[in-house]
Amino acid sequence: MPSITATDWDLFQSLHAVLETGSLSAAARARGVTQPTIGRHIEALEHRLGAPLFLRSSRGFTPTDLALALRPRLEDMAAAAGAALREVAGAADQVGGAVRVTASEMVGCELLPPILADFHAAHPAIEVELTVSNHQADLSRRDADIAVRMARPTQNTLVGRRIGTFDIGLYAAPAYVARCGAPRDFDELNQHPTIGFDGAAPKFDSQIDIGRPITRDIFSFRSDSDVAQLAALRAGLGIGGCQTLIARRYGLVPILADRFRIEMEMWVCMPEGLRTTPRMRLMFDHLVAALSDQLAEAQA
């Protein structure tokens, strides 16, 4: 079997792209090359490894156990390469280059865009990258440079600043309340359509007590996308949880506010090794100041 060398990184990038996107055509678009090129890369890797990476069928490519075993390593390589590119981009100009921020769906889509727009207006030479996911990015692996998190960082290698606390409550659209009324207790809440998760229960579900177990079956509208849940809430599909500062922005009506309240912390974190990099420090300080203002306004 031919040996794998460092020059095969291009082939491994193509394998990573196919695993991430699920098809040759999507991987080709992601990499900016042609579909036949991706196919040749996969075939070359299979020849070098002496084993298939995908099972071909009329339904597409199914990764083999070998491909799945390689995937965590490929993700580490891609994250390291992305971090290296960001460092190289900022080497010539200490206040230029890229900064990758990661946040949850709701924070990333609802809170950060105007904050990042203000940052870019003040520092146009710094490129802003935003990763939105409810899965916590690994900053030690440099999946991102700075994270907005809903819990205290536990890694000693991270620098964290506590922004404050925010509330999550039950809300409904004004049109829904006008049409269906508002429940006066949890028994009446059971008679209303509710909005919640599909397969992935939130980590804070143990804090929730509505008089019955919190499972997917109690919801009339289910989605694991927080953004989709908010859209359903605003459309009047039912009653659901929402951060208070976002609910007020959209004029949502609080439901059982005296009986249902979840308090969470907000933190901004980054690897300690980045604190002396000018563009990272500028973004870190900007996020801390802007998010602090938003939480203070919501609490007022």
Side-chain angles (χ1 to χ4, degrees):
M1 180 183 73
S3 61
I4 300 297
T5 67
T7 58
D8 293 319
W9 169 231
D10 197 40
L11 308 185
F12 282 111
Q13 288 186 89
S14 293
L15 172 58
H16 180 251
V18 176
L19 288 171
E20 289 293 297
T21 63
S23 70
L24 293 181
S25 57
R29 289 192 297 271
R31 292 215 59 203
V33 299
T34 65
Q35 182 172 332
T37 297
I38 297 292
R40 287 194 298 271
H41 287 178
I42 298 301
E43 291 175 1
L45 265 182
E46 290 177 328
H47 178 65
R48 284 163 168 75
L49 293 168
L53 291 165
F54 295 93
L55 301 178
R56 281 80 166 172
S57 70
S58 58
R59 292 179 293 180
F61 272 25
T62 301
T64 63
D65 290 342
L66 174 58
L68 294 176
L70 288 171
R71 186 169 191 168
R73 297 297 186 186
L74 295 172
E75 291 174 347
D76 289 342
M77 293 167 70
L85 288 174
R86 293 195 296 275
E87 292 302 325
V88 170
D93 182 355
Q94 289 300 300
V95 294
V99 179
R100 181 179 291 270
V101 179
T102 181
S104 66
E105 259 196 3
M106 195 66 79
V107 171
C109 293
E110 292 293 328
L111 300 186
L112 290 189
I115 293 174
L116 296 178
D118 289 344
F119 179 85
H120 188 259
H123 308 284
I126 300 178
E127 301 159 8
V128 179
E129 302 172 354
L130 176 62
T131 300
V132 176
S133 174
N134 289 337
H135 298 288
Q136 185 167 289
D138 188 347
L139 295 187
S140 64
R141 198 178 67 172
R142 293 297 298 278
D143 287 344
D145 302 313
I146 298 174
V148 180
R149 291 183 173 172
M150 302 302 108
R152 177 189 294 271
T154 57
Q155 295 171 290
N156 294 331
T157 56
L158 298 184
V159 176
R161 180 76 65 82
R162 184 179 183 273
I163 304 302
T165 61
F166 64 92
D167 294 339
I168 297 176
L170 292 176
Y171 289 89
Y176 175 85
V177 175
R179 185 175 71 250
C180 303
R184 293 169 294 181
D185 52 40
F186 288 138
D187 288 337
E188 289 190 6
L189 177 64
N190 293 340
Q191 309 306 314
H192 286 257
T194 51
I195 297 167
F197 63 85
D198 183 18
K203 293 181 179 180
F204 53 79
D205 62 344
S206 60
Q207 302 179 41
I208 302 174
D209 182 9
I210 60 171
R212 59 173 172 164
I214 306 295
T215 65
R216 68 184 298 276
D217 299 326
I218 72 173
F219 302 118
S220 304
F221 177 89
R222 295 186 283 267
S223 175
D224 287 332
S225 167
D226 293 342
V227 174
Q229 290 185 29
L230 176 61
L233 189 57
R234 294 177 60 197
L237 266 71
I239 296 171
C242 186
Q243 295 179 20
T244 299
L245 66 170
I246 295 174
R248 289 176 179 172
R249 176 188 303 169
Y250 291 116
L252 299 177
V253 179
I255 303 295
L256 300 176
D258 58 336
R259 302 191 62 181
F260 184 98
R261 176 177 171 270
I262 299 171
E263 185 176 272
M264 299 191 69
E265 294 184 334
M266 182 179 289
W267 289 75
V268 177
C269 315
M270 71 175 176
E272 187 171 10
L274 297 181
R275 67 191 306 174
T276 57
T277 304
R279 69 184 186 281
M280 303 298 179
R281 191 71 208 191
L282 285 170
M283 175 64 81
F284 185 91
D285 291 343
H286 179 79
L287 289 174
V288 168
L291 289 170
S292 296
D293 287 346
Q294 289 205 13
L295 290 191
E297 181 182 348
Q299 290 172 351

